[in-house]
Amino acid sequence: MKKILILLAFVVFVVSCASKNPNEMSAEQLLSYGLNAFEQADYDEAAKYFEKSIMKADTPEIAAKAQLFLGNSYFIMGDFAQAIPSYEQYLDLYEGTKEEKRVIFRLASSYYKIIQSIDRDQSNTKEALKYFEKLRQKFPAYAHEKGVDDTIRKLRNRLAEKEMYVAEFYFRIGKDEAAEKRLKYILENYQDTEVYCKAALKYSEYLIEKGKKTNVAVAYLKNVLQQNNDKEYLERASEILKKLESNVSSE
């Protein structure tokens, strides 16, 4: 019986929509039709009504609700590229509302969903990180509930991986100075990531190979020994330090 009633309600809704030209509806009517479509999980149709409602809205309350549900419609459909500007527009115009924390989370999540592979541009990674950090700063309890700390660590690690990827590319094509700058950037800005020890080892080896700043190389190697539990990194750092000590002893 319940299923029949829901079906009848949907049929009435569709018929009523068809009988009225959306261009003749008020912003409030468009919002109402959009919400009905949203409740029926017809998110694509709902988005069309919300967009028209926003354009016609003569009160901030109607505009804000239409803007919010426009973003939600795209988000639920998995159209994150469309959800992003919808949520960003909401935050620009309606910051401070009770929905703000959920909008920030969904905006950050939208960017997270469209992160590209490590060999591509990482602008979406940076934007996701920016909004997750904003959420943690403004709404720490909600951010904790959503496990944002772990997500932030993953995003920071990915950005460090990108820098390492570029550094290794520069080494392969013989642009050692450019590679060195990338490694130094990792060491100065991503100490809390999994990439740090790899970068420290590579940078130390580079300095030793070029015969410069051996004391700096030693400092980074000792740091690896103190901070990392990975057997591969520990063995490599110890091996390099032993070679340095052996060279000093033989001089």
CSV table of all heavy atoms in Angstrom, one decimal, residues 99-120:
chain,number,residue,atom,x,y,z
A,99,GLU,N,24.5,25.1,7.9
A,99,GLU,CA,24.9,24.0,6.9
A,99,GLU,C,26.4,24.2,6.5
A,99,GLU,O,26.9,23.3,5.7
A,99,GLU,CB,24.1,24.1,5.7
A,99,GLU,CG,22.6,23.9,5.9
A,99,GLU,CD,22.4,22.4,6.3
A,99,GLU,OE1,23.2,21.5,5.9
A,99,GLU,OE2,21.3,22.1,6.9
A,100,GLU,N,27.1,25.2,7.0
A,100,GLU,CA,28.4,25.5,6.5
A,100,GLU,C,29.4,24.3,6.6
A,100,GLU,O,30.1,24.0,5.7
A,100,GLU,CB,29.0,26.7,7.2
A,100,GLU,CG,30.4,27.1,6.7
A,100,GLU,CD,31.0,28.3,7.4
A,100,GLU,OE1,30.4,28.7,8.4
A,100,GLU,OE2,32.1,28.7,7.0
A,101,LYS,N,29.4,23.7,7.8
A,101,LYS,CA,30.4,22.6,8.0
A,101,LYS,C,30.1,21.4,7.1
A,101,LYS,O,31.1,20.8,6.6
A,101,LYS,CB,30.3,22.1,9.5
A,101,LYS,CG,29.0,21.5,9.9
A,101,LYS,CD,29.0,21.2,11.4
A,101,LYS,CE,27.7,20.6,11.9
A,101,LYS,NZ,27.7,20.4,13.3
A,102,ARG,N,28.8,21.1,6.8
A,102,ARG,CA,28.6,20.0,5.9
A,102,ARG,C,28.9,20.4,4.4
A,102,ARG,O,29.4,19.5,3.7
A,102,ARG,CB,27.1,19.6,6.0
A,102,ARG,CG,26.8,18.8,7.2
A,102,ARG,CD,25.3,18.5,7.3
A,102,ARG,NE,24.6,19.6,7.9
A,102,ARG,CZ,24.4,19.8,9.2
A,102,ARG,NH1,24.9,19.0,10.0
A,102,ARG,NH2,23.7,20.9,9.6
A,103,VAL,N,28.7,21.6,4.1
A,103,VAL,CA,29.1,22.1,2.8
A,103,VAL,C,30.6,22.1,2.6
A,103,VAL,O,31.1,21.6,1.5
A,103,VAL,CB,28.6,23.5,2.5
A,103,VAL,CG1,29.1,24.1,1.2
A,103,VAL,CG2,27.0,23.5,2.4
A,104,ILE,N,31.4,22.5,3.6
A,104,ILE,CA,32.8,22.5,3.5
A,104,ILE,C,33.3,21.0,3.3
A,104,ILE,O,34.2,20.7,2.5
A,104,ILE,CB,33.5,23.1,4.7
A,104,ILE,CG1,33.2,24.6,4.8
A,104,ILE,CG2,35.0,22.9,4.6
A,104,ILE,CD1,33.7,25.3,6.0
A,105,PHE,N,32.7,20.1,4.1
A,105,PHE,CA,33.1,18.7,4.0
A,105,PHE,C,32.8,18.1,2.6
A,105,PHE,O,33.6,17.4,2.0
A,105,PHE,CB,32.4,17.9,5.1
A,105,PHE,CG,32.7,16.4,5.0
A,105,PHE,CD1,33.9,15.9,5.4
A,105,PHE,CD2,31.8,15.5,4.5
A,105,PHE,CE1,34.2,14.6,5.3
A,105,PHE,CE2,32.1,14.2,4.4
A,105,PHE,CZ,33.3,13.7,4.8
A,106,ARG,N,31.6,18.4,2.1
A,106,ARG,CA,31.3,17.9,0.8
A,106,ARG,C,32.1,18.6,-0.4
A,106,ARG,O,32.4,17.9,-1.3
A,106,ARG,CB,29.8,18.0,0.5
A,106,ARG,CG,28.9,17.0,1.3
A,106,ARG,CD,27.5,16.9,0.8
A,106,ARG,NE,26.9,15.7,1.3
A,106,ARG,CZ,25.7,15.3,0.9
A,106,ARG,NH1,25.0,16.0,0.0
A,106,ARG,NH2,25.2,14.2,1.5
A,107,LEU,N,32.4,19.8,-0.2
A,107,LEU,CA,33.3,20.5,-1.2
A,107,LEU,C,34.6,19.9,-1.2
A,107,LEU,O,35.2,19.6,-2.2
A,107,LEU,CB,33.3,22.0,-0.8
A,107,LEU,CG,34.3,22.8,-1.7
A,107,LEU,CD1,33.9,22.7,-3.2
A,107,LEU,CD2,34.2,24.3,-1.2
A,108,ALA,N,35.2,19.7,0.0
A,108,ALA,CA,36.5,19.1,0.1
A,108,ALA,C,36.5,17.6,-0.5
A,108,ALA,O,37.4,17.2,-1.2
A,108,ALA,CB,37.0,19.0,1.6
A,109,SER,N,35.4,16.9,-0.1
A,109,SER,CA,35.3,15.5,-0.6
A,109,SER,C,35.1,15.5,-2.2
A,109,SER,O,35.6,14.6,-2.8
A,109,SER,CB,34.1,14.9,0.0
A,109,SER,OG,34.2,14.8,1.4
A,110,SER,N,34.5,16.5,-2.7
A,110,SER,CA,34.3,16.6,-4.2
A,110,SER,C,35.7,16.7,-4.9
A,110,SER,O,36.0,16.1,-5.9
A,110,SER,CB,33.4,17.8,-4.6
A,110,SER,OG,32.1,17.6,-4.1
A,111,TYR,N,36.5,17.6,-4.3
A,111,TYR,CA,37.9,17.8,-4.9
A,111,TYR,C,38.6,16.5,-4.7
A,111,TYR,O,39.4,16.1,-5.6
A,111,TYR,CB,38.6,18.9,-4.2
A,111,TYR,CG,38.3,20.3,-4.8
A,111,TYR,CD1,37.7,21.3,-4.1
A,111,TYR,CD2,38.8,20.6,-6.1
A,111,TYR,CE1,37.5,22.5,-4.6
A,111,TYR,CE2,38.6,21.8,-6.6
A,111,TYR,CZ,37.9,22.8,-5.9
A,111,TYR,OH,37.7,24.0,-6.5
A,112,TYR,N,38.5,15.8,-3.5
A,112,TYR,CA,39.2,14.6,-3.3
A,112,TYR,C,38.8,13.5,-4.3
A,112,TYR,O,39.7,12.7,-4.7
A,112,TYR,CB,38.8,14.1,-1.9
A,112,TYR,CG,39.6,12.9,-1.4
A,112,TYR,CD1,40.8,13.1,-0.7
A,112,TYR,CD2,39.1,11.6,-1.5
A,112,TYR,CE1,41.5,12.0,-0.2
A,112,TYR,CE2,39.9,10.5,-1.1
A,112,TYR,CZ,41.0,10.8,-0.4
A,112,TYR,OH,41.8,9.7,0.0
A,113,LYS,N,37.5,13.5,-4.7
A,113,LYS,CA,37.0,12.5,-5.6
A,113,LYS,C,37.6,12.6,-7.0
A,113,LYS,O,37.6,11.7,-7.8
A,113,LYS,CB,35.5,12.5,-5.7
A,113,LYS,CG,34.8,12.1,-4.4
A,113,LYS,CD,34.9,10.6,-4.2
A,113,LYS,CE,34.0,10.2,-3.1
A,113,LYS,NZ,34.0,8.7,-2.8
A,114,ILE,N,38.1,13.8,-7.4
A,114,ILE,CA,38.6,14.0,-8.7
A,114,ILE,C,40.1,14.3,-8.8
A,114,ILE,O,40.6,14.9,-9.7
A,114,ILE,CB,37.8,15.2,-9.5
A,114,ILE,CG1,37.9,16.5,-8.7
A,114,ILE,CG2,36.4,14.8,-9.7
A,114,ILE,CD1,37.3,17.7,-9.4
A,115,ILE,N,40.8,13.8,-7.8
A,115,ILE,CA,42.3,13.9,-7.8
A,115,ILE,C,42.8,13.1,-8.9
A,115,ILE,O,42.4,11.9,-9.1
A,115,ILE,CB,42.8,13.5,-6.4
A,115,ILE,CG1,42.5,14.5,-5.3
A,115,ILE,CG2,44.3,13.2,-6.5
A,115,ILE,CD1,42.9,14.1,-3.9
A,116,GLN,N,43.8,13.6,-9.6
A,116,GLN,CA,44.3,12.9,-10.7
A,116,GLN,C,45.6,12.0,-10.3
A,116,GLN,O,46.1,12.2,-9.2
A,116,GLN,CB,44.8,13.9,-11.8
A,116,GLN,CG,43.6,14.7,-12.3
A,116,GLN,CD,44.0,15.5,-13.6
A,116,GLN,OE1,44.1,15.0,-14.7
A,116,GLN,NE2,44.2,16.8,-13.4
A,117,SER,N,46.0,11.2,-11.2
A,117,SER,CA,47.2,10.3,-10.9
A,117,SER,C,48.4,11.2,-10.7
A,117,SER,O,48.5,12.4,-11.0
A,117,SER,CB,47.4,9.4,-12.1
A,117,SER,OG,47.7,10.1,-13.3
A,118,ILE,N,49.4,10.6,-10.0
A,118,ILE,CA,50.6,11.3,-9.5
A,118,ILE,C,51.4,12.0,-10.6
A,118,ILE,O,52.1,13.0,-10.4
A,118,ILE,CB,51.5,10.4,-8.7
A,118,ILE,CG1,52.4,11.2,-7.8
A,118,ILE,CG2,52.3,9.5,-9.6
A,118,ILE,CD1,51.6,11.8,-6.7
A,119,ASP,N,51.3,11.5,-11.9
A,119,ASP,CA,52.0,12.1,-13.0
A,119,ASP,C,51.2,13.3,-13.6
A,119,ASP,O,51.7,14.0,-14.5
A,119,ASP,CB,52.3,11.1,-14.1
A,119,ASP,CG,51.0,10.5,-14.6
A,119,ASP,OD1,50.1,10.3,-13.8
A,119,ASP,OD2,51.0,10.2,-15.8
A,120,ARG,N,50.1,13.6,-13.1
A,120,ARG,CA,49.3,14.7,-13.6
A,120,ARG,C,49.3,15.9,-12.6
A,120,ARG,O,49.8,15.8,-11.5
A,120,ARG,CB,47.8,14.2,-13.8
A,120,ARG,CG,47.7,13.0,-14.7
A,120,ARG,CD,48.1,13.4,-16.2
A,120,ARG,NE,47.1,14.3,-16.8
A,120,ARG,CZ,45.9,14.0,-17.3
A,120,ARG,NH1,45.5,12.7,-17.3
A,120,ARG,NH2,45.1,14.9,-17.8
